[in-house]
Amino acid sequence: MADIKDPENTIIIELKDGPVVIELLPDVAPKHSERMKELARAGAYDNVAFHRVIDGFMAQTGDVAHANMEKDYNPGRAGTGASDLPDLPAEFSKLPHSRGTLGAARSQNPNSANSQFFINFKDNDFLNGQYTVYGRVIDGMEHVDKIVRGEPPASPDRMISVKVAADVQ
């Protein structure tokens, strides 16, 4: 696994094919980084489906209200929900939406990000400055590349578990 420099700001997502290690960027997007850690520590992301996976674009997940495949999973509503926590203000930066970066999913309102996020399969420069970048995959991108495609996928993959690295060492 990757050399983890800051365990408090590193997320480990367990997928069916193996772990994905994400370095959060609290200096760039402190509120988004803190939210991901809060939801991970609460177990809110465990068993949540990848409800929108577009080949050559990105894999989206994080609907903790409707996409938990072990509890009240609703494929028709997956992608429409959020956590009970307040929405986050945009934390746009100059960081590009390059392959492996984590972006905050949101509605048309730039200040509507909550729990959902996406991982870019490739460089998606057209998203730059429009969605908050708050992390990057530092190990396990080959596992992200194997996530089942679809909008929604017929048989979606899920985040088996999501942990803050500091809590598992």
Side-chain angles (χ1 to χ4, degrees):
M1 201 170 345
D3 179 28
I4 296 174
K5 294 173 181 59
D6 182 2
E8 181 57 31
N9 288 298
T10 302
I11 298 290
I12 301 171
I13 301 175
E14 194 65 43
L15 298 182
K16 72 179 186 319
D17 292 306
V20 177
V21 182
I22 295 170
E23 172 186 66
L24 295 176
L25 304 170
D27 294 346
V28 174
K31 290 177 174 58
H32 287 76
S33 297
E34 195 56 42
R35 174 64 54 85
M36 182 161 216
K37 292 189 298 186
E38 183 176 359
L39 292 172
R41 285 188 162 125
Y45 283 133
D46 295 353
N47 294 303
V48 172
F50 283 89
H51 64 270
R52 183 171 176 244
V53 185
I54 303 171
D55 199 33
F57 180 30
M58 58 88 217
Q60 186 171 335
T61 185
D63 180 346
V64 300
H66 306 299
N68 184 322
M69 296 180 72
E70 299 295 318
K71 186 180 84 189
D72 302 326
Y73 178 57
N74 185 336
R77 296 203 57 205
T80 65
S83 75
D84 294 334
L85 301 168
D87 288 348
L88 296 167
E91 295 178 299
F92 298 156
S93 70
K94 299 274 190 229
L95 286 180
H97 280 267
S98 55
R99 174 172 164 76
T101 54
L102 200 71
R106 61 170 177 82
S107 69
Q108 294 293 344
N109 177 349
N111 300 312
S112 63
N114 188 296
S115 63
Q116 291 190 46
F117 63 92
F118 57 90
I119 302 171
N120 289 293
F121 286 132
K122 69 175 191 68
D123 294 354
N124 290 312
D125 293 335
F126 67 95
L127 299 175
N128 293 351
Q130 299 180 59
Y131 293 83
T132 299
V133 174
Y134 65 102
R136 66 172 60 94
V137 174
I138 59 171
D139 192 40
M141 192 63 195
E142 68 275 15
H143 306 313
V144 175
D145 288 334
K146 294 178 185 172
I147 295 170
V148 174
R149 295 343 191 224
E151 291 184 80
S155 181
D157 283 330
R158 69 179 82 183
M159 296 184 288
I160 297 165
S161 70
V162 180
K163 306 271 188 256
V164 177
D167 300 342
V168 295
Q169 294 194 357

